[in-house]
Each structure stands twice: as C-alpha cells, then as structure tokens.
Amino acid sequence: SEGRGSCARGAGSAVVPRMARAAAGRGALAALALLLGAAFGQERERPICQVAEALIGSVDAHLTDWDAQIDVGLNASMNCSMFLEFVYLSRDRIRLQLDYIRGNFSAQEEILRSQGGDAAASTTWAMTHMSTAASLLSAHLHIHGVLAAARPECLSENLQLLFLMSLRRVKELLHGQLRHLWIVFQGTSELFVQGASRWLTKLTELFEADLRTMETVMVSWQPPENKAEEGAEASAVVAGPPARPGPPLPPFSVREFDGVALSTLEVLRRDTFQEWDLRKPVLRSLLRHVFPRDAHVADVCAGSGQAAKFLNDTGLLTAYAFDPSSNIRLLSREAADPLRMHAEPVRLWRSFDVVVCLTSAEDLVGEEDAWHQLWKNLEEHAMGSVVLTCGQGELRQVALRAARANAPAFELDEALSEKVAGAMEPEAGLCIFRRSAVK
C-alpha cells in the first residue's frame, strides 16, 4: 500500500476520459511546479512511478494520433478516390515504419555481435522491436476496420477480397508473436531472437505484397456512379445509399448461387477464425474400420482441405481434397481443387478406393437433383466405398433413392454405418456404402 500511495497519480485516474484528463493535466502542471519548488528535503518520486507516468503519457499520445487518422478518414468531403488514396498511403506508412524497425533490429544485432557479446544473451532489445511492430499492426487493424465499415461504397469486390485475405495473414502473424513470447518464458532466448527476426521479415513482406496488389486492383477501379459533385458547388448529398464501384455486390450469403457451394467470404471467414469442423473422431474411426491401408481417398466436400491434410499426416493413405466453391484453389493456397460433383458430370484423372463427403446432408438438403448427379459421379469414381452423411427422415430417403437409381452396385452397410456414426452427431445420419462387385 505504501508503494501505491507514493505515486503522484492515483489508480483511479486511469479511467478518466481523455479530455477530462487533459483539463486536469493543465491544472496539475501548475500544482506540480509549486510542489517541485517546495520539494527540497522531501523524498523524490519513486522510479516505478516515473515509469508508470511515462507509459501513460505515451499511450495518450498514440491515442491522439490514431484518433486523428480516423477523423481524417471519416471526413465526408473526401470522395472515394481520395479516401482510397488515404488508405493506401496509411498502409504504406505502416510498411515504412515496419521496415525501419526491421532495419534497427538487424543493426542492433550486428552491433552486439561485433562487440563480442552474444546477441541472444538478452531478449530485452529484441522484445522492444517486436512489441513496437505488434502495436503498429494492432492499431492499423483497428483504424482500417473503422474506416472500411464507414465507407463500404468505396470498396470494390476485389478490394474487399484483398483486405480479407490480408486480415487472415495478419491474424496468423499476431498469433505467432504470442508464440514467440512463450519461447521467452521457457528460457530459450536464442530461439526468440531468431524467431523475432523472421517474424519482422514476414510482417514487412506482407505489407509490401499487399501494397503491390492494391496498386494492381486500383488500376481497374471505377468510382461510384452517383457520388456527390466535387468542389464548392456541391450543395447537397445524393439521397439514398451511394452506389458501389463496379458491379453491385449481393448481400453476404453463406453459400453461392446454387445453394450448395460455400461462398468465397464464408470460406475466408472459416479459415480466418478456424471454424472448420474437421470431425476428427469420425476420421479416426474411418481410418480404423473403413479406409484400407495405402488407399487413395477423395474428400469431395473438403473446404480448404484440412481433413485431407489430417489424413495425409497419418502416413497410412493418400488423401485428395476437392470442393465445389469456385475460388477454393486460391483460398486454400492450392490445397484443394474445385470439383462440382453435385452439379455436372465430372471425369478425373483417376478413380479412388474411397470417396468421402461428411457434409452432404447439410449441403444438399432439399436438392434431389443434386443427389442424383452426385451418385452418378460416385459410380464413376469410387471403386470400393462411399462415405456420406444422409441426414434423417425424408432427406435420408432421398439420398438412398438416388443411390439405388444411379449406383445400384453400392449397398448400404447398416452395421458399419452405425458403428462409425457413434463418433458424430446423430442428426447427420452417417451412411457407408460398399460396392458389391468389382466394376
């Protein structure tokens, strides 16, 4: 309690609003001058209190700068061209600052080595550079999140996609910073210094790549058609919501126009926030009871391909990832290929021992024609077994009728389906079909 009371700034003042704090600060300066004049013979302010005051003042200064950026970006007098130029220059300034931080990190590391010391003996200097970069990155995300939400009419579809993919990569880097902090606490300082250097390099390269892509996108960018006139003669704002640049965008939907394939935005969202349901207990059960050793397995509802990666990592088989989403190859970084088995006849370069779709009941609900087309393609490509979710009730009957009509060689293995279905939710209605005769 003595330490708390000896600080000039009380604990409760941290929650005072900034403007009130600033007003109080002006009066405090005058009082402080009087106190300093009468402080002869009194105990000096404790060092820990001086550090606390410096930290609070630094945070206040940064808040003021960041608020100023938001005020500029939200200026209604800026048209979309000026707004996007501001966004570009702001990102470029962050990139420049990150480049300076990386250069200072490398220079300090070289100085320590040239002096005969071990650059990894202390992590303090490396932590300073890494924390500074992480703070810039966090501020950038919050500021540009506010600006993007306030001016959606200025963002074309390509710009939206660019910013969303950038957000996904930035999230990974911020998580990486926390993992590096773990290395500090486990006492491996050399690994921390090496990791911090790589982290700063990746962060700088990310912003450089984003800026190059934004330049390419802006070449074909067109301003909204009904924006207000520029200059002093503009006396009124156009009524109604402003148009978007380029063709109008549909409202957000989880699925594409066919109601089956996941939309680009939904795939990005699930990737960014790790919301794919891999159903690992089901995959483990399938490895034990269904998949032959050294089999070739096709996951035709793979999303970004994480289930196929899980199976490949076992070393027991070879798994291939396919998904009906139109941009899945780009979104999955070539981990999955586009394949619309439910919509059209397909012919792949090979057949598979097992074909799997653990989301078919969810994807094809109410789509009887899609079930028929799916089974036609399964008949052509599945040599041994087919693993689907058929749902319950009428949906299950639709799936079974489509199987009998289009792939009569496959028979439902009720006992095996029930055994493996214990690892997943009952409403999914797992169905395992086996080919009764060699094709």
Side-chain angles (χ1 to χ4, degrees):
S1 61
E2 179 184 355
R4 292 174 182 263
S6 62
C7 291
R9 190 181 188 123
S13 64
V15 298
V16 177
R18 283 180 298 155
M19 292 188 65
R21 199 162 58 226
R26 289 191 292 270
L29 287 176
L32 181 60
L34 294 175
L35 288 174
L36 289 176
F40 181 79
Q42 296 184 4
E43 182 182 3
R44 295 171 57 189
E45 185 179 33
R46 298 180 60 185
I48 187 66
C49 299
Q50 297 175 1
V51 173
E53 289 290 335
L55 287 174
I56 293 172
S58 175
V59 170
D60 287 346
H62 283 301
L63 287 174
T64 301
D65 291 341
W66 296 339
D67 285 347
Q69 287 192 48
I70 293 177
D71 291 340
V72 172
L74 297 182
N75 188 342
S77 66
M78 288 201 306
N79 59 32
C80 281
S81 298
M82 297 169 63
F83 171 77
L84 290 176
E85 182 179 0
F86 171 78
V87 170
Y88 177 88
L89 292 175
S90 177
R91 294 171 77 92
D92 185 54
R93 182 61 181 268
I94 295 291
R95 178 206 59 79
L96 183 62
Q97 292 296 323
L98 292 174
D99 199 30
Y100 286 153
I101 293 171
R102 183 178 62 169
N104 291 337
F105 181 97
S106 300
Q108 191 163 355
E109 186 178 21
E110 288 298 324
I111 291 174
L112 290 174
R113 295 191 186 281
S114 66
Q115 293 175 348
D118 185 2
S122 172
T123 60
T124 304
W125 65 275
M127 179 83 73
T128 299
H129 294 298
M130 197 173 190
S131 297
T132 303
S135 297
L136 281 173
L137 187 58
S138 180
H140 164 77
L141 290 177
H142 286 83
I143 291 172
H144 284 263
V146 171
L147 298 181
R151 302 293 297 269
E153 73 276 6
C154 297
L155 302 182
S156 65
E157 185 176 13
N158 289 332
L159 284 174
Q160 277 191 325
L161 183 61
L162 167 64
F163 293 154
L164 286 169
M165 296 188 72
S166 176
L167 175 62
R168 181 175 65 176
R169 294 193 295 266
V170 165
K171 175 177 175 286
E172 294 173 358
L173 287 172
L174 285 175
H175 282 188
Q177 189 227 2
L178 297 178
R179 284 193 290 269
H180 284 92
L181 294 180
W182 179 276
I183 295 175
V184 173
F185 287 106
Q186 73 181 17
T188 50
S189 57
E190 182 177 356
L191 291 177
F192 174 77
V193 173
Q194 295 173 358
S197 178
R198 290 193 298 269
W199 185 84
L200 288 170
T201 299
K202 288 181 181 179
L203 188 56
T204 306
E205 291 175 349
L206 168 61
F207 271 80
E208 290 174 349
D210 280 354
L211 287 170
R212 289 195 300 269
T213 306
M214 189 173 179
E215 290 175 1
T216 303
V217 170
M218 290 304 297
V219 169
S220 58
W221 180 86
Q222 295 294 327
E225 295 179 358
N226 64 341
K227 64 178 181 178
E229 296 181 2
E230 301 178 16
E233 296 180 358
S235 58
V237 178
V238 176
R244 300 184 59 87
L249 297 180
F252 166 70
S253 174
V254 173
R255 301 194 180 270
E256 293 183 357
F257 65 92
D258 63 357
V260 176
L262 294 176
S263 66
T264 296
L265 189 57
E266 177 63 14
V267 174
L268 276 171
R269 189 188 66 80
R270 294 190 185 190
D271 267 348
T272 301
F273 300 105
Q274 300 174 352
E275 293 188 5
W276 294 108
D277 184 5
L278 298 187
R279 291 172 167 159
K280 288 185 179 180
V282 181
L283 296 177
R284 294 189 184 100
S285 185
L286 291 172
L287 281 167
R288 182 177 181 182
H289 300 293
V290 179
F291 297 154
R293 184 67 60 89
D294 296 325
H296 289 264
V297 177
D299 183 358
V300 297
C301 307
S304 59
Q306 297 184 31
K309 180 180 184 302
F310 172 80
L311 293 174
N312 283 323
D313 287 344
T314 66
L316 300 175
L317 49 77
T318 302
Y320 305 83
F322 303 97
D323 192 85
S325 298
S326 55
N327 294 317
I328 196 62
R329 186 173 178 82
L330 171 64
L331 300 175
S332 67
R333 302 172 188 173
E334 301 186 353
D337 288 309
L339 185 68
R340 297 170 56 81
M341 270 197 167
H342 69 283
E344 58 194 8
V346 298
R347 184 63 63 112
L348 299 176
W349 77 101
R350 62 160 300 141
S351 57
F352 304 93
D353 298 298
V354 185
V355 178
V356 180
C357 179
L358 294 181
T359 61
S360 53
E362 176 186 349
D363 296 340
L364 303 181
V365 58
E367 300 286 343
E368 188 166 356
D369 291 342
W371 278 107
H372 283 276
Q373 185 60 63
L374 173 64
W375 270 109
K376 290 177 183 178
N377 287 316
L378 293 175
E379 168 69 16
E380 292 293 327
H381 293 88
M383 295 295 99
S385 303
V386 171
V387 181
L388 304 174
T389 52
C390 299
Q392 301 291 346
E394 178 59 27
L395 176 60
R396 187 178 185 86
Q397 297 307 313
V398 169
L400 296 180
R401 285 198 301 268
R404 289 192 295 268
N406 301 283
F410 283 96
E411 297 179 355
L412 177 64
D413 190 330
E414 296 277 6
L416 185 58
S417 299
E418 185 176 350
K419 179 186 293 186
V420 178
M424 69 187 310
E425 59 276 13
E427 59 272 15
L430 187 70
C431 296
I432 300 177
F433 299 84
R434 290 193 181 276
R435 186 179 285 275
S436 58
V438 178
K439 184 177 177 182

